[in-house]
Amino acid sequence: MDEQRGPQDGLLTTLTERFEADRTHLRSVAYRMLGSLSEAEDAVQEGWIRASRADISGVQNLGGWLTTVVARVCLNMLRSRQTRREDPLDVQAPAVEADREGGLDPEQEALMADSVGLALLVVLDTLSPAERLAFVLHDMFAVPFDEIAPLMERTPATARQLASRARRKVQGSTPLPEADLERKRQVADAFLAATRGGDFEALVTLLHPDVVLRADKAVGPTPAAIFLSGGATVAKAAMAAMGRARYTGIALVDGMAGLAMAPLGQLRLVLKFTVADGLITEIDVIAEPEIVSGIEVAVLAA
C-alpha cells in the first residue's frame, strides 16, 4: 500500500514546491487576466486545487503547465463574470476602499495596477475573454500559440489573430507626431505626479495663468457641471482630487496624451489636456458614462 502511494506522494511534493516557487508568477498572470487582485488570488487558489487533483506523471514542463491551469481558470471566470463595467461605482470613493476590512489592501491593489499600467488594464477590460487570454499569455508571458490554442479550443492561427487584434487595441492610434506626443506626455506625467504628491507649487508651474477647467456633472461633488479658471483655482481643485489620483494613470485618450482614472481597471473618468508652449491651457474632465464609454483609451508607451 505504502509502495503504491510513494511515487504519487513524491509527485505531489514536487508539485507543491513548484507551485509555491511560481506563486508570484501565477498571481501576475491571473491579475493581468482578471484585473482584480482579490479575483487573481481566488484564481490561483482554484488553480492549485485543480492541479493537486490532476495526474502530473506525464507533465514535462511543470511551470508551463501550472501557468495554463491558472489561465484556464481565469478564462472560465471571465466568461462567467457579469460585466463589471455595468456596475455603478462612485468615482470619489472607489469600491476597493470599502474592502479594507474584508482583507483587500487598497494600497497593494493600487501598487499592482501601477506595476501593470492602468491604461493597459483599461484596454484589457475591453477585450473578449479569448483576446485577453491570447494577448496576456503570448505578449506578456511568451507562451507559444500552440499551447494557448487548446485552452480556448481554437487553432494556433486563430490564437495568433486574437492576440494581434488585442495588440492593435492596446497600442491605439495617435494623430500627433512622436515629438509632440512626448512633450504632452511629459506634461501629463508631471501633472499626475504633482497631484499624487500634493505638490501645489509644482502643479501651478504646469498651468497657464488663465487655464480653464471644465468638468461634466458626473464628476461631482455637486450635481452640476463645473467651470473653473485661473492657475491657483484649478490647482486647488486638483489637490482636492488626490484620492482619485491613486487610481489614475497616463494614457492615450482619443489619440492624445491624457489621464485615465480606472479603479480595478474599469474606466470611470478621463482628463484631456490642451497644451501650448509647455503649459496646460485647458483641462476637460469627463465622467458621463455614455461619453466615457465612447472614448478610446490605449497604452501610451514611454
Side-chain angles (χ1 to χ4, degrees):
M1 185 75 165
D2 291 340
E3 291 181 357
Q4 292 178 345
R5 294 179 57 192
Q8 186 61 34
D9 288 345
L11 288 173
L12 183 58
T13 299
T14 300
L15 177 64
T16 302
E17 292 173 350
R18 185 54 188 264
F19 184 88
E20 289 304 322
D22 287 3
R23 182 182 288 275
T24 299
H25 163 76
L26 296 173
R27 183 174 60 179
S28 295
V29 172
Y31 181 74
R32 285 156 178 80
M33 283 289 296
L34 299 169
S36 161
L37 190 54
S38 61
E39 287 186 317
E41 295 286 5
D42 290 343
V44 170
Q45 185 60 30
E46 176 63 23
W48 165 248
I49 293 173
R50 296 189 182 195
S52 64
R53 294 172 177 172
D55 179 6
I56 63 170
S57 58
V59 176
Q60 299 297 318
N61 180 359
L62 200 54
W65 179 77
L66 285 171
T67 296
T68 60
V69 170
V70 171
R72 190 185 296 275
V73 171
C74 292
L75 181 62
N76 290 339
M77 291 174 70
L78 286 173
R79 286 172 170 170
S80 62
R81 174 200 287 172
Q82 289 186 346
T83 305
R84 291 181 299 164
R85 290 185 293 275
E86 296 176 356
D87 295 336
L89 181 65
D90 184 347
V91 298
Q92 294 187 24
V96 67
E97 294 284 3
D99 293 331
R100 185 182 296 273
E101 295 182 359
L104 177 61
D105 183 351
E107 292 293 343
Q108 187 179 9
E109 185 86 42
L111 287 173
M112 181 70 86
D114 269 350
S115 70
V116 176
L118 279 167
L120 178 57
L121 289 177
V122 169
V123 182
L124 290 177
D125 202 42
T126 68
L127 303 178
S128 70
E131 288 174 336
R132 191 163 184 166
L133 179 75
F135 177 79
V136 168
L137 290 187
H138 181 267
D139 284 41
M140 305 184 78
F141 295 99
V143 178
F145 287 119
D146 59 358
E147 295 180 20
I148 297 172
L151 298 177
M152 59 180 76
E153 299 179 343
R154 309 284 182 91
T155 66
T158 300
R160 184 184 301 275
Q161 291 174 348
L162 289 166
S164 178
R165 187 187 309 161
R167 198 177 303 119
R168 288 193 296 272
K169 294 179 182 179
V170 169
Q171 294 171 346
S173 60
T174 171
L176 294 176
E178 185 174 338
D180 289 345
L181 184 62
E182 178 56 26
R183 283 193 292 270
K184 288 179 170 57
R185 175 203 168 90
Q186 291 173 359
V187 172
D189 199 14
F191 182 94
L192 178 59
T195 305
R196 282 183 170 183
D199 192 337
F200 179 81
E201 295 301 327
L203 190 55
V204 169
T205 64
L206 296 170
L207 302 173
H208 189 280
D210 297 321
V211 62
V212 296
L213 180 147
R214 295 177 289 266
D216 65 35
K217 62 183 180 180
V219 173
T222 66
I226 298 171
F227 180 88
L228 302 173
S229 63
T233 301
V234 171
K236 288 178 183 178
M239 290 295 98
M242 284 179 60
R244 293 176 178 174
R246 177 168 51 180
Y247 302 98
T248 302
I250 301 292
L252 267 179
V253 179
D254 282 340
M256 308 286 281
L259 300 177
M261 194 197 85
L264 299 179
Q266 301 165 66
L267 185 62
R268 300 300 176 188
L269 178 151
V270 299
L271 283 80
K272 293 184 176 182
F273 298 105
T274 300
V275 179
D277 298 325
L279 295 178
I280 299 172
T281 59
E282 298 180 33
I283 305 174
D284 288 289
V285 189
I286 305 167
E288 290 281 3
E290 62 272 19
I291 299 177
V292 169
S293 64
I295 292 175
E296 180 192 57
V297 174
V299 174
L300 179 56

